[in-house]
Amino acid sequence: MSTTSQLAKRFREVLLDGKWIANTNFKDQLADVTWEQATTKIGSLNTIAMLTFHIDYYIAGLVNVFEGGDLEIRDQFSFDLPPVESQQQWEQLVNKLWNDAEKFASLLEQMPDSKMNEVFVDEKYGTYLRNIDGMIEHSYYHLGQITLIKKLLN
């Protein structure tokens, strides 16, 4: 199996369908979350909706680069979630995450392994491999937060 196929598989595991590392994934954790739960603030923690937006913000930003665009995302805007005031708006946010995640994985599978050692946009960001690994690790980090916030809400 190619490196890019393995990375795409790992990415899908954390977002869409895996159980190997955390015995859960984003899709499992968000499946039964209502918009009221997603927007409930507990102390100083981010909301589930905020974390969902945040992780999708970075995925969509990398997808844009994978498709030949510029790196347009900025950390300072990664938590700028528009208000979620209905179940429909929550479902739109979640569905955007699923669509962007699948697009990310599909584009990654199409990349040649040699791309992994190339500079990602600018040398200060390292290689494609570093950024893809970082996206997977970042996703697991926030998956853990969402899992704990759900437990606190229940």
PDB file of all heavy atoms in Angstrom, residues 65-100:
ATOM      1  N   VAL A  65      -5.398  23.785  -0.828  1.00  0.00           N
ATOM      2  CA  VAL A  65      -4.005  23.658  -1.294  1.00  0.00           C
ATOM      3  C   VAL A  65      -3.862  22.410  -2.164  1.00  0.00           C
ATOM      4  O   VAL A  65      -3.239  22.459  -3.228  1.00  0.00           O
ATOM      5  CB  VAL A  65      -3.025  23.623  -0.111  1.00  0.00           C
ATOM      6  CG1 VAL A  65      -1.601  23.313  -0.587  1.00  0.00           C
ATOM      7  CG2 VAL A  65      -3.054  24.941   0.652  1.00  0.00           C
ATOM      8  N   PHE A  66      -4.446  21.297  -1.730  1.00  0.00           N
ATOM      9  CA  PHE A  66      -4.383  20.053  -2.513  1.00  0.00           C
ATOM     10  C   PHE A  66      -4.945  20.252  -3.915  1.00  0.00           C
ATOM     11  O   PHE A  66      -4.513  19.606  -4.863  1.00  0.00           O
ATOM     12  CB  PHE A  66      -5.160  18.925  -1.831  1.00  0.00           C
ATOM     13  CG  PHE A  66      -4.563  18.389  -0.557  1.00  0.00           C
ATOM     14  CD1 PHE A  66      -5.242  17.418   0.159  1.00  0.00           C
ATOM     15  CD2 PHE A  66      -3.357  18.847  -0.045  1.00  0.00           C
ATOM     16  CE1 PHE A  66      -4.728  16.894   1.336  1.00  0.00           C
ATOM     17  CE2 PHE A  66      -2.829  18.337   1.133  1.00  0.00           C
ATOM     18  CZ  PHE A  66      -3.521  17.361   1.824  1.00  0.00           C
ATOM     19  N   GLU A  67      -5.932  21.136  -4.037  1.00  0.00           N
ATOM     20  CA  GLU A  67      -6.568  21.396  -5.338  1.00  0.00           C
ATOM     21  C   GLU A  67      -5.845  22.467  -6.140  1.00  0.00           C
ATOM     22  O   GLU A  67      -6.314  22.893  -7.183  1.00  0.00           O
ATOM     23  CB  GLU A  67      -8.031  21.788  -5.130  1.00  0.00           C
ATOM     24  CG  GLU A  67      -8.885  20.644  -4.622  1.00  0.00           C
ATOM     25  CD  GLU A  67     -10.326  21.027  -4.383  1.00  0.00           C
ATOM     26  OE1 GLU A  67     -10.596  22.193  -3.981  1.00  0.00           O
ATOM     27  OE2 GLU A  67     -11.206  20.158  -4.586  1.00  0.00           O
ATOM     28  N   GLY A  68      -4.682  22.921  -5.642  1.00  0.00           N
ATOM     29  CA  GLY A  68      -3.869  23.885  -6.386  1.00  0.00           C
ATOM     30  C   GLY A  68      -4.044  25.318  -5.954  1.00  0.00           C
ATOM     31  O   GLY A  68      -3.446  26.219  -6.533  1.00  0.00           O
ATOM     32  N   GLY A  69      -4.855  25.561  -4.928  1.00  0.00           N
ATOM     33  CA  GLY A  69      -5.075  26.924  -4.446  1.00  0.00           C
ATOM     34  C   GLY A  69      -4.030  27.348  -3.427  1.00  0.00           C
ATOM     35  O   GLY A  69      -3.084  26.617  -3.126  1.00  0.00           O
ATOM     36  N   ASP A  70      -4.229  28.537  -2.904  1.00  0.00           N
ATOM     37  CA  ASP A  70      -3.328  29.090  -1.900  1.00  0.00           C
ATOM     38  C   ASP A  70      -3.718  28.608  -0.507  1.00  0.00           C
ATOM     39  O   ASP A  70      -4.852  28.182  -0.284  1.00  0.00           O
ATOM     40  CB  ASP A  70      -3.395  30.624  -1.922  1.00  0.00           C
ATOM     41  CG  ASP A  70      -2.847  31.202  -3.218  1.00  0.00           C
ATOM     42  OD1 ASP A  70      -1.929  30.588  -3.813  1.00  0.00           O
ATOM     43  OD2 ASP A  70      -3.334  32.267  -3.641  1.00  0.00           O
ATOM     44  N   LEU A  71      -2.805  28.748   0.422  1.00  0.00           N
ATOM     45  CA  LEU A  71      -3.095  28.482   1.828  1.00  0.00           C
ATOM     46  C   LEU A  71      -3.728  29.754   2.381  1.00  0.00           C
ATOM     47  O   LEU A  71      -3.043  30.721   2.680  1.00  0.00           O
ATOM     48  CB  LEU A  71      -1.824  28.112   2.595  1.00  0.00           C
ATOM     49  CG  LEU A  71      -2.020  27.746   4.063  1.00  0.00           C
ATOM     50  CD1 LEU A  71      -2.883  26.486   4.198  1.00  0.00           C
ATOM     51  CD2 LEU A  71      -0.680  27.540   4.748  1.00  0.00           C
ATOM     52  N   GLU A  72      -5.033  29.753   2.496  1.00  0.00           N
ATOM     53  CA  GLU A  72      -5.785  30.953   2.866  1.00  0.00           C
ATOM     54  C   GLU A  72      -6.234  30.955   4.320  1.00  0.00           C
ATOM     55  O   GLU A  72      -6.754  31.957   4.803  1.00  0.00           O
ATOM     56  CB  GLU A  72      -7.007  31.095   1.953  1.00  0.00           C
ATOM     57  CG  GLU A  72      -6.617  31.250   0.486  1.00  0.00           C
ATOM     58  CD  GLU A  72      -7.789  31.179  -0.476  1.00  0.00           C
ATOM     59  OE1 GLU A  72      -8.905  30.814  -0.034  1.00  0.00           O
ATOM     60  OE2 GLU A  72      -7.575  31.483  -1.653  1.00  0.00           O
ATOM     61  N   ILE A  73      -6.065  29.843   5.017  1.00  0.00           N
ATOM     62  CA  ILE A  73      -6.522  29.766   6.399  1.00  0.00           C
ATOM     63  C   ILE A  73      -5.524  30.450   7.327  1.00  0.00           C
ATOM     64  O   ILE A  73      -4.324  30.508   7.045  1.00  0.00           O
ATOM     65  CB  ILE A  73      -6.762  28.300   6.838  1.00  0.00           C
ATOM     66  CG1 ILE A  73      -5.518  27.441   6.613  1.00  0.00           C
ATOM     67  CG2 ILE A  73      -7.976  27.726   6.125  1.00  0.00           C
ATOM     68  CD1 ILE A  73      -5.633  26.011   7.118  1.00  0.00           C
ATOM     69  N   ARG A  74      -6.048  30.976   8.434  1.00  0.00           N
ATOM     70  CA  ARG A  74      -5.224  31.631   9.445  1.00  0.00           C
ATOM     71  C   ARG A  74      -5.711  31.178  10.819  1.00  0.00           C
ATOM     72  O   ARG A  74      -6.923  31.159  11.075  1.00  0.00           O
ATOM     73  CB  ARG A  74      -5.334  33.159   9.344  1.00  0.00           C
ATOM     74  CG  ARG A  74      -4.881  33.734   7.992  1.00  0.00           C
ATOM     75  CD  ARG A  74      -3.376  33.579   7.797  1.00  0.00           C
ATOM     76  NE  ARG A  74      -2.942  34.046   6.502  1.00  0.00           N
ATOM     77  CZ  ARG A  74      -2.735  33.271   5.426  1.00  0.00           C
ATOM     78  NH1 ARG A  74      -2.957  31.976   5.500  1.00  0.00           N
ATOM     79  NH2 ARG A  74      -2.326  33.765   4.291  1.00  0.00           N
ATOM     80  N   ASP A  75      -4.767  30.850  11.689  1.00  0.00           N
ATOM     81  CA  ASP A  75      -5.116  30.370  13.022  1.00  0.00           C
ATOM     82  C   ASP A  75      -6.112  31.295  13.724  1.00  0.00           C
ATOM     83  O   ASP A  75      -7.030  30.827  14.393  1.00  0.00           O
ATOM     84  CB  ASP A  75      -3.860  30.230  13.882  1.00  0.00           C
ATOM     85  CG  ASP A  75      -2.953  29.102  13.427  1.00  0.00           C
ATOM     86  OD1 ASP A  75      -3.393  28.247  12.629  1.00  0.00           O
ATOM     87  OD2 ASP A  75      -1.789  29.073  13.868  1.00  0.00           O
ATOM     88  N   GLN A  76      -5.937  32.595  13.557  1.00  0.00           N
ATOM     89  CA  GLN A  76      -6.783  33.560  14.275  1.00  0.00           C
ATOM     90  C   GLN A  76      -8.255  33.464  13.895  1.00  0.00           C
ATOM     91  O   GLN A  76      -9.123  33.933  14.634  1.00  0.00           O
ATOM     92  CB  GLN A  76      -6.278  34.985  14.052  1.00  0.00           C
ATOM     93  CG  GLN A  76      -6.472  35.494  12.625  1.00  0.00           C
ATOM     94  CD  GLN A  76      -5.664  36.735  12.334  1.00  0.00           C
ATOM     95  OE1 GLN A  76      -4.485  36.801  12.644  1.00  0.00           O
ATOM     96  NE2 GLN A  76      -6.303  37.717  11.720  1.00  0.00           N
ATOM     97  N   PHE A  77      -8.567  32.840  12.758  1.00  0.00           N
ATOM     98  CA  PHE A  77      -9.961  32.724  12.317  1.00  0.00           C
ATOM     99  C   PHE A  77     -10.524  31.307  12.509  1.00  0.00           C
ATOM    100  O   PHE A  77     -11.668  31.048  12.163  1.00  0.00           O
ATOM    101  CB  PHE A  77     -10.094  33.113  10.843  1.00  0.00           C
ATOM    102  CG  PHE A  77      -9.596  34.499  10.547  1.00  0.00           C
ATOM    103  CD1 PHE A  77      -8.603  34.705   9.606  1.00  0.00           C
ATOM    104  CD2 PHE A  77     -10.115  35.601  11.216  1.00  0.00           C
ATOM    105  CE1 PHE A  77      -8.132  35.981   9.327  1.00  0.00           C
ATOM    106  CE2 PHE A  77      -9.652  36.889  10.956  1.00  0.00           C
ATOM    107  CZ  PHE A  77      -8.650  37.076  10.003  1.00  0.00           C
ATOM    108  N   SER A  78      -9.729  30.421  13.071  1.00  0.00           N
ATOM    109  CA  SER A  78     -10.108  29.006  13.117  1.00  0.00           C
ATOM    110  C   SER A  78     -11.215  28.681  14.121  1.00  0.00           C
ATOM    111  O   SER A  78     -11.719  27.563  14.134  1.00  0.00           O
ATOM    112  CB  SER A  78      -8.885  28.127  13.380  1.00  0.00           C
ATOM    113  OG  SER A  78      -8.418  28.318  14.696  1.00  0.00           O
ATOM    114  N   PHE A  79     -11.594  29.658  14.933  1.00  0.00           N
ATOM    115  CA  PHE A  79     -12.703  29.450  15.865  1.00  0.00           C
ATOM    116  C   PHE A  79     -13.851  30.439  15.593  1.00  0.00           C
ATOM    117  O   PHE A  79     -14.706  30.636  16.449  1.00  0.00           O
ATOM    118  CB  PHE A  79     -12.227  29.580  17.315  1.00  0.00           C
ATOM    119  CG  PHE A  79     -11.448  28.386  17.801  1.00  0.00           C
ATOM    120  CD1 PHE A  79     -10.064  28.419  17.880  1.00  0.00           C
ATOM    121  CD2 PHE A  79     -12.099  27.209  18.169  1.00  0.00           C
ATOM    122  CE1 PHE A  79      -9.346  27.320  18.333  1.00  0.00           C
ATOM    123  CE2 PHE A  79     -11.384  26.101  18.620  1.00  0.00           C
ATOM    124  CZ  PHE A  79     -10.014  26.164  18.696  1.00  0.00           C
ATOM    125  N   ASP A  80     -13.855  31.051  14.409  1.00  0.00           N
ATOM    126  CA  ASP A  80     -14.884  32.036  14.063  1.00  0.00           C
ATOM    127  C   ASP A  80     -16.155  31.362  13.551  1.00  0.00           C
ATOM    128  O   ASP A  80     -16.591  31.574  12.413  1.00  0.00           O
ATOM    129  CB  ASP A  80     -14.354  33.028  13.021  1.00  0.00           C
ATOM    130  CG  ASP A  80     -13.343  34.003  13.597  1.00  0.00           C
ATOM    131  OD1 ASP A  80     -13.120  33.977  14.830  1.00  0.00           O
ATOM    132  OD2 ASP A  80     -12.774  34.789  12.824  1.00  0.00           O
ATOM    133  N   LEU A  81     -16.754  30.579  14.394  1.00  0.00           N
ATOM    134  CA  LEU A  81     -17.975  29.856  14.051  1.00  0.00           C
ATOM    135  C   LEU A  81     -19.151  30.821  13.996  1.00  0.00           C
ATOM    136  O   LEU A  81     -19.426  31.516  14.975  1.00  0.00           O
ATOM    137  CB  LEU A  81     -18.244  28.776  15.109  1.00  0.00           C
ATOM    138  CG  LEU A  81     -19.588  28.059  15.047  1.00  0.00           C
ATOM    139  CD1 LEU A  81     -19.681  27.193  13.801  1.00  0.00           C
ATOM    140  CD2 LEU A  81     -19.801  27.225  16.304  1.00  0.00           C
ATOM    141  N   PRO A  82     -19.864  30.858  12.861  1.00  0.00           N
ATOM    142  CA  PRO A  82     -21.111  31.641  12.844  1.00  0.00           C
ATOM    143  C   PRO A  82     -22.115  30.998  13.808  1.00  0.00           C
ATOM    144  O   PRO A  82     -22.013  29.805  14.103  1.00  0.00           O
ATOM    145  CB  PRO A  82     -21.597  31.501  11.398  1.00  0.00           C
ATOM    146  CG  PRO A  82     -20.455  30.953  10.620  1.00  0.00           C
ATOM    147  CD  PRO A  82     -19.572  30.234  11.590  1.00  0.00           C
ATOM    148  N   PRO A  83     -23.067  31.761  14.310  1.00  0.00           N
ATOM    149  CA  PRO A  83     -24.031  31.190  15.259  1.00  0.00           C
ATOM    150  C   PRO A  83     -24.744  29.962  14.694  1.00  0.00           C
ATOM    151  O   PRO A  83     -25.134  29.939  13.527  1.00  0.00           O
ATOM    152  CB  PRO A  83     -25.026  32.331  15.486  1.00  0.00           C
ATOM    153  CG  PRO A  83     -24.290  33.567  15.112  1.00  0.00           C
ATOM    154  CD  PRO A  83     -23.314  33.178  14.039  1.00  0.00           C
ATOM    155  N   VAL A  84     -24.881  28.945  15.529  1.00  0.00           N
ATOM    156  CA  VAL A  84     -25.649  27.747  15.185  1.00  0.00           C
ATOM    157  C   VAL A  84     -26.922  27.833  16.020  1.00  0.00           C
ATOM    158  O   VAL A  84     -26.872  27.707  17.244  1.00  0.00           O
ATOM    159  CB  VAL A  84     -24.864  26.457  15.491  1.00  0.00           C
ATOM    160  CG1 VAL A  84     -25.719  25.222  15.242  1.00  0.00           C
ATOM    161  CG2 VAL A  84     -23.580  26.401  14.669  1.00  0.00           C
ATOM    162  N   GLU A  85     -28.059  28.059  15.336  1.00  0.00           N
ATOM    163  CA  GLU A  85     -29.300  28.334  16.045  1.00  0.00           C
ATOM    164  C   GLU A  85     -30.421  27.365  15.708  1.00  0.00           C
ATOM    165  O   GLU A  85     -31.577  27.614  16.045  1.00  0.00           O
ATOM    166  CB  GLU A  85     -29.738  29.777  15.747  1.00  0.00           C
ATOM    167  CG  GLU A  85     -28.702  30.778  16.228  1.00  0.00           C
ATOM    168  CD  GLU A  85     -28.963  32.201  15.796  1.00  0.00           C
ATOM    169  OE1 GLU A  85     -29.517  32.401  14.685  1.00  0.00           O
ATOM    170  OE2 GLU A  85     -28.617  33.114  16.573  1.00  0.00           O
ATOM    171  N   SER A  86     -30.071  26.268  15.043  1.00  0.00           N
ATOM    172  CA  SER A  86     -31.096  25.269  14.706  1.00  0.00           C
ATOM    173  C   SER A  86     -30.427  23.931  14.414  1.00  0.00           C
ATOM    174  O   SER A  86     -29.221  23.869  14.149  1.00  0.00           O
ATOM    175  CB  SER A  86     -31.902  25.711  13.481  1.00  0.00           C
ATOM    176  OG  SER A  86     -31.090  25.648  12.314  1.00  0.00           O
ATOM    177  N   GLN A  87     -31.242  22.886  14.449  1.00  0.00           N
ATOM    178  CA  GLN A  87     -30.756  21.559  14.101  1.00  0.00           C
ATOM    179  C   GLN A  87     -30.263  21.545  12.655  1.00  0.00           C
ATOM    180  O   GLN A  87     -29.255  20.911  12.337  1.00  0.00           O
ATOM    181  CB  GLN A  87     -31.855  20.498  14.322  1.00  0.00           C
ATOM    182  CG  GLN A  87     -31.395  19.069  14.133  1.00  0.00           C
ATOM    183  CD  GLN A  87     -30.375  18.608  15.169  1.00  0.00           C
ATOM    184  OE1 GLN A  87     -30.326  19.091  16.297  1.00  0.00           O
ATOM    185  NE2 GLN A  87     -29.533  17.663  14.781  1.00  0.00           N
ATOM    186  N   GLN A  88     -30.961  22.242  11.777  1.00  0.00           N
ATOM    187  CA  GLN A  88     -30.568  22.298  10.362  1.00  0.00           C
ATOM    188  C   GLN A  88     -29.179  22.917  10.191  1.00  0.00           C
ATOM    189  O   GLN A  88     -28.354  22.397   9.436  1.00  0.00           O
ATOM    190  CB  GLN A  88     -31.599  23.085   9.553  1.00  0.00           C
ATOM    191  CG  GLN A  88     -31.257  23.155   8.078  1.00  0.00           C
ATOM    192  CD  GLN A  88     -32.248  23.992   7.279  1.00  0.00           C
ATOM    193  OE1 GLN A  88     -33.114  24.651   7.835  1.00  0.00           O
ATOM    194  NE2 GLN A  88     -32.116  23.958   5.964  1.00  0.00           N
ATOM    195  N   GLN A  89     -28.907  24.000  10.896  1.00  0.00           N
ATOM    196  CA  GLN A  89     -27.589  24.631  10.803  1.00  0.00           C
ATOM    197  C   GLN A  89     -26.501  23.701  11.361  1.00  0.00           C
ATOM    198  O   GLN A  89     -25.397  23.636  10.812  1.00  0.00           O
ATOM    199  CB  GLN A  89     -27.576  25.964  11.551  1.00  0.00           C
ATOM    200  CG  GLN A  89     -28.372  27.035  10.852  1.00  0.00           C
ATOM    201  CD  GLN A  89     -28.434  28.319  11.663  1.00  0.00           C
ATOM    202  OE1 GLN A  89     -28.338  28.309  12.900  1.00  0.00           O
ATOM    203  NE2 GLN A  89     -28.607  29.440  10.970  1.00  0.00           N
ATOM    204  N   TRP A  90     -26.809  22.998  12.439  1.00  0.00           N
ATOM    205  CA  TRP A  90     -25.859  22.047  13.006  1.00  0.00           C
ATOM    206  C   TRP A  90     -25.584  20.926  12.006  1.00  0.00           C
ATOM    207  O   TRP A  90     -24.432  20.558  11.767  1.00  0.00           O
ATOM    208  CB  TRP A  90     -26.389  21.508  14.333  1.00  0.00           C
ATOM    209  CG  TRP A  90     -25.648  20.322  14.868  1.00  0.00           C
ATOM    210  CD1 TRP A  90     -26.181  19.097  15.150  1.00  0.00           C
ATOM    211  CD2 TRP A  90     -24.254  20.212  15.199  1.00  0.00           C
ATOM    212  NE1 TRP A  90     -25.203  18.247  15.628  1.00  0.00           N
ATOM    213  CE2 TRP A  90     -24.014  18.903  15.667  1.00  0.00           C
ATOM    214  CE3 TRP A  90     -23.185  21.093  15.139  1.00  0.00           C
ATOM    215  CZ2 TRP A  90     -22.759  18.467  16.078  1.00  0.00           C
ATOM    216  CZ3 TRP A  90     -21.930  20.650  15.537  1.00  0.00           C
ATOM    217  CH2 TRP A  90     -21.724  19.359  16.006  1.00  0.00           C
ATOM    218  N   GLU A  91     -26.623  20.385  11.400  1.00  0.00           N
ATOM    219  CA  GLU A  91     -26.449  19.305  10.425  1.00  0.00           C
ATOM    220  C   GLU A  91     -25.668  19.778   9.207  1.00  0.00           C
ATOM    221  O   GLU A  91     -24.860  19.020   8.656  1.00  0.00           O
ATOM    222  CB  GLU A  91     -27.809  18.733  10.025  1.00  0.00           C
ATOM    223  CG  GLU A  91     -28.443  17.925  11.137  1.00  0.00           C
ATOM    224  CD  GLU A  91     -29.882  17.491  10.862  1.00  0.00           C
ATOM    225  OE1 GLU A  91     -30.358  17.640   9.716  1.00  0.00           O
ATOM    226  OE2 GLU A  91     -30.519  16.996  11.810  1.00  0.00           O
ATOM    227  N   GLN A  92     -25.853  21.024   8.798  1.00  0.00           N
ATOM    228  CA  GLN A  92     -25.077  21.571   7.677  1.00  0.00           C
ATOM    229  C   GLN A  92     -23.591  21.629   8.039  1.00  0.00           C
ATOM    230  O   GLN A  92     -22.730  21.293   7.220  1.00  0.00           O
ATOM    231  CB  GLN A  92     -25.576  22.966   7.293  1.00  0.00           C
ATOM    232  CG  GLN A  92     -26.908  22.951   6.581  1.00  0.00           C
ATOM    233  CD  GLN A  92     -27.490  24.343   6.383  1.00  0.00           C
ATOM    234  OE1 GLN A  92     -27.092  25.314   7.024  1.00  0.00           O
ATOM    235  NE2 GLN A  92     -28.468  24.436   5.487  1.00  0.00           N
ATOM    236  N   LEU A  93     -23.291  22.042   9.256  1.00  0.00           N
ATOM    237  CA  LEU A  93     -21.902  22.107   9.718  1.00  0.00           C
ATOM    238  C   LEU A  93     -21.275  20.715   9.742  1.00  0.00           C
ATOM    239  O   LEU A  93     -20.159  20.514   9.245  1.00  0.00           O
ATOM    240  CB  LEU A  93     -21.845  22.747  11.111  1.00  0.00           C
ATOM    241  CG  LEU A  93     -20.470  22.850  11.769  1.00  0.00           C
ATOM    242  CD1 LEU A  93     -19.529  23.731  10.961  1.00  0.00           C
ATOM    243  CD2 LEU A  93     -20.615  23.385  13.192  1.00  0.00           C
ATOM    244  N   VAL A  94     -22.004  19.758  10.279  1.00  0.00           N
ATOM    245  CA  VAL A  94     -21.499  18.391  10.360  1.00  0.00           C
ATOM    246  C   VAL A  94     -21.333  17.786   8.961  1.00  0.00           C
ATOM    247  O   VAL A  94     -20.303  17.158   8.668  1.00  0.00           O
ATOM    248  CB  VAL A  94     -22.419  17.528  11.253  1.00  0.00           C
ATOM    249  CG1 VAL A  94     -22.053  16.065  11.167  1.00  0.00           C
ATOM    250  CG2 VAL A  94     -22.359  18.010  12.695  1.00  0.00           C
ATOM    251  N   ASN A  95     -22.302  17.996   8.097  1.00  0.00           N
ATOM    252  CA  ASN A  95     -22.206  17.455   6.736  1.00  0.00           C
ATOM    253  C   ASN A  95     -21.058  18.084   5.954  1.00  0.00           C
ATOM    254  O   ASN A  95     -20.420  17.420   5.141  1.00  0.00           O
ATOM    255  CB  ASN A  95     -23.527  17.613   5.989  1.00  0.00           C
ATOM    256  CG  ASN A  95     -24.566  16.637   6.487  1.00  0.00           C
ATOM    257  OD1 ASN A  95     -24.243  15.521   6.911  1.00  0.00           O
ATOM    258  ND2 ASN A  95     -25.824  17.042   6.459  1.00  0.00           N
ATOM    259  N   LYS A  96     -20.783  19.355   6.211  1.00  0.00           N
ATOM    260  CA  LYS A  96     -19.621  19.997   5.580  1.00  0.00           C
ATOM    261  C   LYS A  96     -18.342  19.296   6.023  1.00  0.00           C
ATOM    262  O   LYS A  96     -17.443  19.044   5.213  1.00  0.00           O
ATOM    263  CB  LYS A  96     -19.577  21.479   5.920  1.00  0.00           C
ATOM    264  CG  LYS A  96     -18.415  22.219   5.251  1.00  0.00           C
ATOM    265  CD  LYS A  96     -18.474  23.702   5.528  1.00  0.00           C
ATOM    266  CE  LYS A  96     -17.362  24.494   4.884  1.00  0.00           C
ATOM    267  NZ  LYS A  96     -16.091  23.871   4.636  1.00  0.00           N
ATOM    268  N   LEU A  97     -18.266  18.958   7.306  1.00  0.00           N
ATOM    269  CA  LEU A  97     -17.099  18.234   7.811  1.00  0.00           C
ATOM    270  C   LEU A  97     -16.955  16.894   7.096  1.00  0.00           C
ATOM    271  O   LEU A  97     -15.859  16.544   6.646  1.00  0.00           O
ATOM    272  CB  LEU A  97     -17.196  18.028   9.326  1.00  0.00           C
ATOM    273  CG  LEU A  97     -16.098  17.170   9.963  1.00  0.00           C
ATOM    274  CD1 LEU A  97     -14.711  17.769   9.741  1.00  0.00           C
ATOM    275  CD2 LEU A  97     -16.378  16.981  11.452  1.00  0.00           C
ATOM    276  N   TRP A  98     -18.049  16.127   6.967  1.00  0.00           N
ATOM    277  CA  TRP A  98     -17.958  14.814   6.302  1.00  0.00           C
ATOM    278  C   TRP A  98     -17.527  14.974   4.851  1.00  0.00           C
ATOM    279  O   TRP A  98     -16.676  14.223   4.372  1.00  0.00           O
ATOM    280  CB  TRP A  98     -19.270  14.041   6.354  1.00  0.00           C
ATOM    281  CG  TRP A  98     -19.897  13.864   7.695  1.00  0.00           C
ATOM    282  CD1 TRP A  98     -21.222  13.737   7.956  1.00  0.00           C
ATOM    283  CD2 TRP A  98     -19.240  13.766   8.968  1.00  0.00           C
ATOM    284  NE1 TRP A  98     -21.428  13.586   9.311  1.00  0.00           N
ATOM    285  CE2 TRP A  98     -20.235  13.595   9.956  1.00  0.00           C
ATOM    286  CE3 TRP A  98     -17.913  13.815   9.379  1.00  0.00           C
ATOM    287  CZ2 TRP A  98     -19.949  13.468  11.311  1.00  0.00           C
ATOM    288  CZ3 TRP A  98     -17.613  13.702  10.734  1.00  0.00           C
ATOM    289  CH2 TRP A  98     -18.613  13.529  11.675  1.00  0.00           C
ATOM    290  N   ASN A  99     -18.105  15.935   4.152  1.00  0.00           N
ATOM    291  CA  ASN A  99     -17.761  16.146   2.737  1.00  0.00           C
ATOM    292  C   ASN A  99     -16.316  16.596   2.567  1.00  0.00           C
ATOM    293  O   ASN A  99     -15.599  16.096   1.691  1.00  0.00           O
ATOM    294  CB  ASN A  99     -18.714  17.161   2.105  1.00  0.00           C
ATOM    295  CG  ASN A  99     -20.126  16.633   1.975  1.00  0.00           C
ATOM    296  OD1 ASN A  99     -20.343  15.427   1.888  1.00  0.00           O
ATOM    297  ND2 ASN A  99     -21.099  17.524   1.976  1.00  0.00           N
ATOM    298  N   ASP A 100     -15.883  17.529   3.395  1.00  0.00           N
ATOM    299  CA  ASP A 100     -14.496  18.010   3.308  1.00  0.00           C
ATOM    300  C   ASP A 100     -13.508  16.909   3.695  1.00  0.00           C
ATOM    301  O   ASP A 100     -12.443  16.786   3.084  1.00  0.00           O
ATOM    302  CB  ASP A 100     -14.285  19.245   4.188  1.00  0.00           C
ATOM    303  CG  ASP A 100     -14.966  20.486   3.632  1.00  0.00           C
ATOM    304  OD1 ASP A 100     -15.285  20.510   2.419  1.00  0.00           O
ATOM    305  OD2 ASP A 100     -15.177  21.434   4.413  1.00  0.00           O
TER     306      ASP A 100
END
